[in-house]
Amino acid sequence: MKSENVSIIGLGASGTSAARLALAKGETVYVSDLRTDARAAADADALRALGARVDLGTHDTARIAAAGLVVVSPGIPPDAPVLHTLRRGGVRWVSEPEFAVRFYQGPLIAVTGTNGKTTTAALTAHLLDASGIDAALGGNVGGGLAPTASELALREPAPAWYVLEMSSFQLADTDRFSPDIGVVTNLAPDHLDRYAGPREYYADKARLFRNASAKSRWILNGDDVEVLRLPGEAAGERVSFGRERGGNAAFVRDGVLTLAVPASAGGRGEDEPLVPEGALSLIGRHNTLNALAAALAARLAGASPSGIRAGLGSFLPLPHRLEPVAERDGVIWVNDSKATNVGAAIGAVASLDQPLILILGGKDKGEDFRPLARVLPGRVKKVVLYGEAAGRISDEFHEVLGDTLPIARGDRFDEAVAAAGASAEAGDAVLLAPACSSYDQFENYEARGRRFRELSGGEVRR
């Protein structure tokens, strides 16, 4: 049996793009996936035409183990039998971004955290572009908003900066990954259906700092104790962002987003006012923090204050992230389908001033819903539940709130949205911030958000 230089497990977007990158670099490639559906078959045929060997419905573990490098897609769970077999045989593997960045020809900004990663990464690239600095956005962005890390490695000419969003799953399988600038937006328990607990989840996030050097620059949420702890003793310059000036290099002063980059990070420590908080196109207090993080990252990468100001004014809200999608009869409909964990749902609820009809539910990820229940009084008029997690959410809400908050059920998503709309009055907002993944009734959070938009009467974004 001939041994391939690169074996790739998983034929999703990440695996397919990693295979294309490896082939473009002259490697021999083996790809395998247990799926046999039409999409997998089409992707397999396309890779075979480029010279890869592809198996569907099985993993040839002997062939994988014999490869010089094994790349695993983030959708493959760590307890998958194929990984168990490889682990038992002493075979190591890397994630798709880890493989991709080995071919990058310029500096890298990596953005991670529990919530706000996509907005912060996309805004960072936008602010650099607005300053005349060519920036390429990619990674875990999803939703067709940006390419994979491997696709960026094939870009010609190379950009001045690469900007990658990195999930915990992608960071888990890194080895040499070493961004020039690393950003951590926030931390809260998530993916507890995949991790034993928050500590294990945070440990994968902390791999961002694994290869830190004196030249590394780390942008941390100064309002988040867990974020400030995350780097441990990692080398490099640390600067922070937060609502108040304090020791932060990005903050809000008199209602204006402001930078004050210290000399240790290449600045002069002087205040650089940017834009009033109310001028941001992004809604929500948490998005102010995302904007501060992005502005600070762009500034450290060479963006000008004037370019950052222009970019903050021209950036548009991303779909499915606290996105206003319709307004009918005095009721605003807000799509935050990407709020797939409790922390994101709490942030969404806290960000809106209107009385809320809140839609929650979906696939249960094992999180504790009681912290969410505690922030609802005074903000939420009614909760409408749907899906697999509805029963447990209802039970935990009743533990905290008793019968003080009306809770309705609609097993199917469409029923829940209809019930929420029927309960809303002029001046209210119907907020989809599900605190759960979408996989019980939808292919992904984007499909759920599009359906919400359709039901709200808003125009569907394709």
Side-chain angles (χ1 to χ4, degrees):
M1 179 185 70
K2 179 183 177 182
S3 296
E4 275 73 23
N5 297 108
V6 180
S7 284
I8 298 168
I9 302 174
L11 196 59
S14 292
T16 300
S17 61
R20 290 179 180 274
L21 173 60
L23 291 165
K25 298 302 179 180
E27 306 286 358
T28 56
V29 176
Y30 170 65
V31 186
S32 61
D33 196 305
L34 294 181
R35 295 183 303 128
T36 58
D37 57 80
R39 175 63 182 272
D43 289 342
D45 287 344
L47 290 178
R48 290 186 186 113
L50 294 174
R53 174 188 171 94
V54 184
D55 282 342
L56 297 182
T58 187
H59 297 296
D60 186 335
T61 53
R63 185 178 290 273
I64 294 169
L69 180 68
V70 179
V71 180
V72 176
S73 298
I76 307 298
D79 59 352
V82 61
L83 298 187
H84 178 70
T85 300
L86 294 176
R87 193 180 293 114
R88 196 169 52 194
V91 177
R92 299 180 62 187
W93 56 84
V94 300
S95 66
E96 178 261 333
E98 164 76 16
F99 173 63
V101 299
R102 299 178 183 190
F103 300 97
Y104 283 10
Q105 301 175 51
L108 169 65
I109 299 170
V111 181
T112 195
T114 300
N115 300 307
K117 298 185 296 296
T118 298
T119 296
T120 302
L123 182 53
T124 299
H126 181 79
L127 297 180
L128 288 169
D129 285 337
S131 294
I133 299 171
D134 182 22
L137 171 68
N140 188 57
V141 176
L145 298 175
T148 63
S150 292
E151 288 180 69
L152 294 190
L154 293 170
R155 179 178 151 168
E156 292 292 346
W161 281 89
Y162 298 89
V163 181
L164 290 184
E165 178 191 337
M166 293 291 292
S167 71
S168 61
F169 303 160
Q170 293 171 324
L171 285 167
D173 295 326
T174 53
D175 179 25
R176 300 185 223 162
F177 191 80
S178 181
D180 299 87
I181 298 174
V183 182
V184 185
T185 57
N186 49 64
L187 286 174
D190 196 11
H191 301 299
L192 299 185
D193 52 345
R194 179 155 169 168
Y195 289 98
R199 291 297 108 190
E200 290 78 6
Y201 168 59
Y202 294 168
D204 276 353
K205 292 291 190 185
R207 293 179 72 88
L208 180 75
F209 307 95
R210 177 185 175 99
N211 297 303
S213 72
K215 295 181 179 179
S216 303
R217 288 177 287 177
W218 307 114
I219 297 174
L220 308 174
N221 186 333
D223 296 343
D224 191 317
V225 173
E226 294 289 354
V227 171
L228 295 175
R229 289 175 180 158
L230 196 67
E233 300 300 319
E237 179 66 22
R238 304 181 193 189
V239 291
S240 61
F241 61 94
R243 293 288 312 182
E244 306 297 331
R245 174 64 173 97
N248 294 317
F251 49 90
V252 180
R253 170 167 285 171
D254 298 327
V256 176
L257 276 66
T258 304
L259 299 179
V261 180
S264 59
R268 294 183 294 179
E270 300 175 353
D271 281 10
E272 295 175 341
L274 299 175
V275 299
E277 186 173 7
L280 294 174
S281 61
L282 302 167
I283 63 175
R285 289 172 59 86
H286 65 291
N287 273 324
T288 296
L289 293 178
N290 294 336
L292 289 170
L296 187 52
R299 191 74 177 103
L300 294 185
S304 64
S306 60
I308 294 173
R309 291 185 196 106
L312 289 172
S314 60
F315 185 75
L316 297 176
L318 299 176
H320 317 300
R321 295 161 177 84
L322 215 61
E323 174 196 24
V325 294
E327 185 169 355
R328 293 189 288 109
D329 301 322
V331 176
I332 186 170
W333 296 67
V334 181
N335 169 25
D336 202 22
S337 183
K338 187 62 172 65
T340 57
N341 57 61
V342 168
I346 289 173
V349 168
S351 291
L352 297 176
D353 296 327
Q354 301 94 332
L356 301 177
I357 310 298
L358 176 62
I359 302 172
L360 297 170
K363 186 179 187 297
D364 195 334
K365 296 166 68 177
E367 283 194 79
D368 183 353
F369 294 105
R370 285 167 288 200
L372 175 56
R374 296 186 185 104
V375 306
L376 302 187
R379 296 180 179 274
V380 174
K381 294 172 58 176
K382 185 175 184 176
V383 172
V384 183
L385 304 175
Y386 86 95
E388 177 186 301
R392 193 165 70 83
I393 297 174
S394 180
D395 291 343
E396 294 187 5
F397 275 22
H398 276 295
E399 285 183 38
V400 176
L401 302 170
D403 295 324
T404 60
L405 182 66
I407 298 176
R409 291 274 292 271
D411 289 337
R412 304 298 301 174
F413 182 76
D414 287 18
E415 296 170 6
V417 175
S423 301
E425 302 173 325
D428 293 346
V430 175
L431 171 63
L432 171 64
C436 301
S437 73
S438 58
Y439 300 125
D440 59 339
Q441 296 184 22
F442 294 94
E443 180 182 3
N444 49 43
Y445 74 84
E446 295 101 327
R448 178 171 59 189
R450 287 195 297 271
R451 183 59 180 157
F452 178 76
R453 178 189 281 269
E454 291 171 351
L455 295 170
S456 74
E459 179 183 353
V460 180
R461 185 189 300 230
R462 299 295 184 186

